[in-house]
Amino acid sequence: MNSSDRNDVRSVYIHVPFCKHRCGYCDFTLVADRDDLISEYLRALDIELGRAPNYALDTLFFGGGTPTHLSPDQLAQLFESVVTRFTLNDECEFSVEANPDGLTREKIDVLHEYGVNRISLGVQSFDQSALSFLERDHTPGDVLQAVEVVRNRIPNFSLDLIFAVPGQSLVDWHASLDAAIALSPTHLSTYGLTIEKGTAFWSRQRKGNLHRLPDELERDMYAAAIERLPAAGFTQYEISNFARAGFNCRHNEVYWSGLSYDAFGPGAACFISGRRETNHRSVTGWLKRVLAGKSPIGDSEQLAPEDHARELLVLGLRRTAGVDKPRFLKLTGYTVDALTRGRIDSHLAAKHVVESESMLRLTRAGRFFADAVVVDLL
Ligand code: SF4
């Protein structure tokens, strides 16, 4: 990738791969209980960032792992590496993922001091038995404390919730939605529990020790979210995301719109001028390569124009506004009709999608079958 390709980058993702332990359902790039690697990571990240141009950013996102697992001094070192290299434009959305466990006032002070203006808090549930099942370290009480600490400094905060946890009832899920709404976040994300290959939950499921909730109950839980949250003032703007007016996650909207973004840290993937490059997913592998002066890139692919168009189509369909056909044509060179004809007709007949001359989008009923529609179109 040459440097002119990077001219239109306005968004950066930084991956912070540390957690206290690995939750049973987690397949993210991280190391658990390896705080001895944090100082090397900070050094390697600084080297990787040193090869990037001085971007002027509209969005900056630190995800993980748990970025706030780092100590206040380590967080300051991490942010220093980034904010001294890049320019944060006025109104830059500067987000950090955090977990309620160990989220101290001191850490939030560091985040605030460096200009973080959005926190995404991994709450997952307000029910202790669901939290224990998910192997989370925090209690519902920790969530309340963390929110109080966060909102004083950084009032723009999002809560992540997981539904369809084995053992969870519809009543439990309603109670978690109630508790989340009562905390008045600006944004909420709700995800059905997925069991990915390679996770501890995957092995348990294969041995018959873990049973997913029935599909119908999972659909009822999703229905509860898409009814309750809009009634409480949140607009659903994507399959799993809800926000108060003006608080959509702008960084995620960059991903979903097909715009360019750069990314740093183990397993981080950038997308620039139709090319996707993914760093080595092994944290120690990434560390060794960067510290030895080698490229951290593990995989790279130049997306064929049609593959890029299909990807954008799918991402667009996940947004409640749907795919803007004229914009899609301008961005990809493909008409939606040329890509979908023949494949989309059955979904139109089933009323899972609607279309007009200018847009194609999922219906409310279609949101329940989004994955099936996506698989069909890819
Ligand atoms: S806290 Fe989040 S990132 Fe860390 S192991 Fe659990 S699910 Fe994965």
Side-chain angles (χ1 to χ4, degrees):
M1 202 178 294
N2 58 50
S3 59
S4 65
D5 290 333
R6 299 178 187 269
N7 287 345
D8 56 351
V9 169
R10 297 279 176 277
S11 293
V12 157
Y13 173 79
I14 312 270
H15 193 73
V16 187
F18 297 98
C19 284
K20 198 192 273 184
H21 79 282
R22 186 181 283 275
C23 306
Y25 60 96
C26 181
D27 70 341
F28 297 146
T29 295
L30 61 90
V31 282
D33 195 23
R34 287 299 312 266
D35 294 5
D36 55 303
L37 294 178
I38 294 177
S39 57
E40 266 185 275
Y41 159 80
L42 291 170
R43 198 153 57 84
L45 187 74
D46 194 61
I47 293 170
E48 195 190 359
L49 288 164
R51 298 178 189 144
N54 177 8
Y55 292 130
L57 298 179
D58 293 331
T59 73
L60 171 60
F61 196 106
F62 286 75
T66 308
T68 54
H69 181 69
L70 272 55
S71 71
D73 285 348
Q74 291 164 338
L75 283 169
Q77 193 183 333
L78 172 71
F79 295 141
E80 197 69 33
S81 282
V82 178
V83 301
T84 52
R85 290 223 162 72
F86 303 145
T87 306
L88 306 195
N89 292 334
D90 290 348
E91 312 288 322
C92 176
E93 179 189 85
F94 184 172
S95 299
V96 172
E97 287 182 340
N99 276 327
D101 179 45
L103 190 59
T104 61
R105 201 171 296 273
E106 221 184 334
K107 290 184 186 180
I108 292 295
D109 283 347
V110 174
L111 269 53
H112 182 253
E113 188 187 319
Y114 278 90
V116 174
N117 53 24
R118 184 175 185 278
I119 299 275
S120 176
L121 202 54
V123 169
Q124 316 314 353
S125 178
F126 288 86
D127 173 41
Q128 185 55 58
S129 41
L131 288 173
S132 301
F133 187 91
L134 293 170
E135 303 176 1
R136 303 293 301 197
D137 278 327
H138 63 269
T139 64
D142 293 334
V143 175
L144 305 185
Q145 275 182 15
V147 166
E148 283 322 303
V149 170
V150 167
R151 79 158 86 245
N152 280 332
R153 286 295 209 184
I154 304 170
N156 180 13
F157 67 93
S158 175
L159 306 179
D160 280 5
L161 296 175
I162 293 180
F163 60 90
V165 179
Q168 188 179 39
S169 69
L170 190 55
V171 172
D172 297 335
W173 173 236
H174 273 277
S176 268
L177 287 171
D178 282 341
I181 292 166
L183 290 173
S184 299
T186 53
H187 187 281
L188 276 156
S189 301
T190 61
Y191 303 98
L193 178 67
T194 52
I195 299 185
E196 305 292 344
K197 203 169 179 180
T199 61
F201 279 13
W202 174 270
S203 315
R204 280 175 60 186
Q205 184 172 255
R206 283 193 55 176
K207 288 177 193 149
N209 297 330
L210 187 153
H211 302 283
R212 292 179 46 82
L213 290 190
D215 289 347
E216 203 182 320
L217 178 52
E218 182 164 348
R219 278 202 286 275
D220 287 347
M221 289 179 170
Y222 183 60
I226 67 176
E227 275 156 29
R228 300 283 314 280
L229 296 175
F234 297 88
T235 301
Q236 182 176 15
Y237 68 104
E238 198 261 354
I239 289 281
S240 305
N241 287 284
F242 305 79
R244 293 198 185 279
F247 290 100
N248 290 12
C249 177
R250 283 166 35 215
H251 187 79
N252 282 342
E253 289 193 313
V254 166
Y255 297 157
W256 302 331
S257 308
L259 300 174
S260 293
Y261 53 88
D262 210 342
F264 303 88
C270 70
F271 181 75
I272 299 173
S273 299
R275 186 174 185 79
R276 179 165 294 121
E277 292 182 345
T278 307
N279 281 350
H280 276 272
R281 289 190 172 86
S282 148
V283 176
T284 48
W286 171 85
L287 269 175
K288 279 187 194 138
R289 293 185 68 84
V290 177
L291 293 176
K294 295 183 183 161
S295 164
I297 298 166
D299 295 318
S300 62
E301 58 168 342
Q302 182 69 41
L303 260 68
E306 185 175 335
D307 291 343
H308 180 217
R310 283 195 190 285
E311 210 175 276
L312 260 189
L313 179 72
V314 162
L315 290 169
L317 274 177
R318 292 182 59 88
R319 303 171 81 177
T320 46
V323 180
D324 177 327
K325 289 182 174 178
R327 181 179 179 274
F328 184 83
L329 174 61
K330 206 168 148 197
L331 262 177
T332 65
Y334 285 85
T335 65
V336 169
D337 286 1
L339 285 178
T340 61
R341 218 29 71 196
R343 297 195 193 194
I344 204 81
D345 290 347
S346 59
H347 300 293
L348 280 166
K351 296 193 169 33
H352 291 160
V353 293
V354 281
E355 75 172 332
S356 68
E357 265 189 26
S358 61
M359 69 81 198
L360 175 74
R361 66 174 168 78
L362 290 174
T363 59
R364 183 188 180 284
R367 288 179 216 162
F368 292 82
F369 299 97
D371 289 344
V373 177
V374 163
V375 166
D376 222 16
L377 294 181
L378 270 177

